[in-house]
Amino acid sequence: MADFLIIGADAAGLSAAVQLKRRLPGTEIKVINKGRIISYGACGIPYVISGDISGSQKLVHFTPESFEKERGVPVHILQEAVDVFPQEHTVEIRDLNTGETYREAYGKLLIGTGARPVRLPFIDYALEGVFNLHTIEDLDRVLLFLEEEKPGEAAIIGAGNVGLELAEALSHKGIRVRIFDIAPEPAFQWPPLIRRAVAGKIKEKGIDFLGGTAIRSLERRNGRLSLGTDDAAAYEADVVFSVVGTVPATEFCRDKLNAKKNGALFADRRGQTCDPDIYAAGDCASVYHRLLDRNVYFPLGSTANKMGRIAGINMAGGDILFPGIVGTQILKFFELSLAKTGLSQEEAEKEGFRARRFSAARPDKAAYFPGAAPAKVEVVCEEDSGVLLGAAAVSETNAAQFIDAAAVAVFAGMGIEDLAWFDSAYAPPFAPVWNALVSAALKSSKA
Ligand SMILES: Cc1cc2nc3c(=O)[nH]c(=O)nc-3n(C[C@H](O)[C@H](O)[C@H](O)COP(=O)(O)OP(=O)(O)OC[C@H]3O[C@@H](n4cnc5c(N)ncnc54)[C@H](O)[C@@H]3O)c2cc1C
């Protein structure tokens, strides 16, 4: 029996393993992982395709051997959890080398199995030239295909973050890109400020965007891939990427534990599920949202690392509460950096807030400094109290400079007046005196 069994050897699972080993060095910790590759930065995948990063191995931080050597915890690969028995404190595991199953007993269990890509039912993902993009194995298959087949035209189904990063990467390789999305605009989960900026950049770069278009069929015909839409149009491509979101990889345990409709396991702010000896962290779980005061599904690497660390500390006997997320994220699309924290005005109103929005466009450096480009920021606050609810930013330099400041303000429950006068950094090569975030907040000021 392992004192601690961890399922999943990436951001969440290994963060927990490190904490357990540090706090309880003499204890038996066992990590199992379905895939062969562990501890990888999936976030870097698009940049290997573009050639900015030379090779998929650059994204792998640890092998099972180096993790055991440096962190002292064994990781068993090609071991898939197929069932969990909370009453008996056991997990059923399939050894993917032999196909045989066995039971492993645990004292405490962490589920960190992440998410898997949504597969569209009418797509045969075994077709040559058809890809999901989620793991290093997917990346290696894509790199080989691009190298050998040299496709001229790509179709991307899904204009979310991964679809857009991929569109940029393929364009850099000289491949013509067409993106399909069922939503009318690209980046549909982002606020309008960002959607508009993305749509403008798509046009400028000569990428075809077909919004409001559902793909309904995909087949290989005369050596090319043919995509059929719901209005009976057909489009051809040499390579197709299906990147339409992810779902929690919890099929093996979701009926035994409290899970959201999409399968995300409920984890409280200590990382504990409804069973006190089972913890969950990362993309397989929901996470506490500070502004909404409830758990939401918001799968990101930044959150998975923190949730795993918190769960590991608590599993080792510590007592720490995750303060929660405010929904901060950032995306690169060609020259643009696009970022958001908290709620957009649309989201705030849907949640029942009476929200106001203020926006400003200012140069990202002193206006006279060479290379100064416009940055746009909008801030959202509660109408009566002025309490900040969110912000969004578009910049050619780095939208994180606005959004990280705004995220702290939203996290701390500051008012928009505080943001209007906050002591932001200024020197001509980096920022103007009145930057776009301060200027947007200042528009609300009664002074
Ligand atoms: C292309 C791409 C770009 C991204 N960009 C960003 C970004 O810019 N910023 C950001 O914050 N996030 C980004 N993400 C998301 C980020 O990668 C994930 O949020 C993060 O990897 C989640 O970590 P995790 O440990 O929860 O799960 P995962 O990284 O998915 O790891 C889960 C592990 O569990 C294993 N496993 C699954 N099921 C089982 C089972 N039944 N038994 C045993 N093992 C199992 C898997 O093999 C895997 O190794 C991106 C993701 C992708 C795919």
Side-chain angles (χ1 to χ4, degrees):
M1 175 178 125
D3 298 324
F4 297 98
L5 178 62
I6 295 177
I7 313 176
D10 196 25
L14 294 183
S15 297
V18 167
Q19 291 305 317
L20 282 165
K21 188 68 189 175
R22 190 174 293 166
R23 281 151 206 271
L24 301 173
T27 198
E28 200 204 326
I29 306 162
K30 181 171 181 178
V31 183
I32 62 162
N33 195 63
K34 182 170 89 173
R36 197 181 288 279
I37 296 172
I38 69 160
S39 185
Y40 56 95
C43 316
I45 287 176
Y47 306 101
V48 178
I49 294 179
S50 66
D52 291 315
I53 299 170
S54 58
S56 61
Q57 285 314 305
K58 286 257 165 76
L59 304 185
V60 180
H61 310 303
F62 286 107
T63 60
E65 295 75 26
S66 67
F67 191 77
E68 180 163 10
K69 193 163 167 228
E70 290 178 37
R71 298 286 190 257
V73 179
V75 180
H76 305 265
I77 57 167
L78 299 173
Q79 306 296 309
E80 178 182 12
V82 291
D83 210 339
V84 53
F85 301 94
Q87 303 281 359
E88 298 159 29
H89 280 62
T90 58
V91 173
E92 187 167 308
I93 300 170
R94 179 174 297 121
D95 182 336
L96 299 176
N97 299 296
T98 61
E100 279 167 19
T101 58
Y102 60 97
R103 293 254 185 128
E104 180 81 41
Y106 62 82
K108 286 192 194 305
L109 174 69
L110 175 86
I111 301 173
T113 47
R116 60 172 175 77
V118 170
R119 291 191 160 224
L120 296 169
F122 52 85
I123 293 185
D124 173 3
Y125 288 86
L127 270 184
E128 202 197 342
V130 177
F131 300 100
N132 278 136
L133 197 62
H134 196 75
T135 61
I136 300 294
E137 286 92 341
D138 294 337
L139 171 62
D140 285 336
R141 279 191 289 271
V142 169
L143 292 175
L144 187 68
F145 183 86
L146 297 181
E147 175 65 26
E148 287 185 347
E149 302 299 325
K150 307 216 168 2
E153 251 186 309
I156 297 175
I157 309 173
N161 294 7
V162 177
L164 293 169
E165 289 174 340
L166 184 58
E168 178 186 346
L170 296 172
S171 298
H172 286 319
K173 295 194 85 66
I175 298 171
R176 206 177 135 61
V177 177
R178 179 176 280 142
I179 312 178
F180 300 89
D181 202 299
I182 206 158
E185 291 170 80
F188 205 61
Q189 76 282 23
W190 290 83
L193 171 78
I194 289 177
R195 301 208 289 262
R196 280 194 300 275
V198 169
K201 198 49 88 175
I202 282 181
K203 214 166 174 186
E204 181 193 317
K205 297 293 175 183
I207 292 171
D208 253 356
F209 174 71
L210 282 91
T213 307
I215 298 296
R216 295 286 180 223
S217 65
L218 174 60
E219 55 188 357
R220 190 159 265 291
R221 210 185 281 161
N222 305 326
R224 297 199 82 199
L225 291 159
S226 172
L227 299 105
T229 67
D230 51 358
D231 55 5
Y235 297 88
E236 293 209 325
D238 305 308
V239 59
V240 173
F241 294 91
S242 162
V243 282
V244 292
T246 57
V247 285
T250 55
E251 285 80 0
F252 69 100
C253 62
R254 60 175 65 155
D255 58 334
K256 307 272 177 74
L257 298 164
N258 185 5
K260 271 184 173 295
K261 224 157 97 190
N262 73 345
L265 303 178
F266 174 80
D268 69 12
R269 292 170 63 189
R270 302 181 77 249
Q272 229 161 6
T273 65
C274 58
D275 181 311
D277 288 329
I278 304 183
Y279 290 69
D283 286 10
C284 66
S286 60
V287 62
Y288 178 69
H289 194 295
R290 275 175 87 80
L291 289 172
L292 302 176
D293 191 26
R294 66 164 191 267
N295 271 32
V296 297
Y297 188 58
F298 209 88
L300 280 179
S302 45
T303 308
N305 277 285
K306 292 172 196 143
M307 289 176 82
R309 190 178 176 121
I310 295 256
I313 293 171
N314 288 324
M315 287 169 81
D319 188 14
I320 180 170
L321 277 188
F322 184 44
I325 60 160
V326 289
T328 307
Q329 52 180 324
I330 186 161
L331 173 71
K332 176 182 182 299
F333 189 52
F334 292 97
E335 296 80 12
L336 297 178
S337 70
L338 311 142
K340 175 192 176 216
T341 190
L343 307 175
S344 66
Q345 189 178 21
E346 292 166 316
E347 288 166 339
E349 285 169 355
K350 236 183 250 166
E351 290 290 339
F353 291 100
R354 277 169 34 132
R356 293 196 69 191
R357 187 181 65 216
F358 300 93
S359 51
R362 303 276 304 138
D364 57 1
K365 306 171 178 48
Y368 54 77
F369 202 83
K376 290 184 196 151
V377 173
E378 62 182 32
V379 289
V380 178
C381 68
E382 224 177 359
E383 171 133 29
D384 299 330
S385 66
V387 167
L388 282 164
L389 295 174
V394 177
S395 155
E396 289 191 14
T397 318
N398 183 359
Q401 83 184 84
F402 305 115
I403 269 336
D404 282 347
V408 172
V410 170
F411 188 94
M414 279 168 56
I416 196 163
E417 280 274 336
D418 300 321
L419 197 59
W421 301 105
F422 105 95
D423 189 14
S424 60
Y426 160 64
F430 302 113
V433 172
W434 300 99
N435 76 31
L437 176 64
V438 171
S439 302
L442 202 56
K443 292 214 177 147
S444 74
S445 177
K446 295 174 189 77

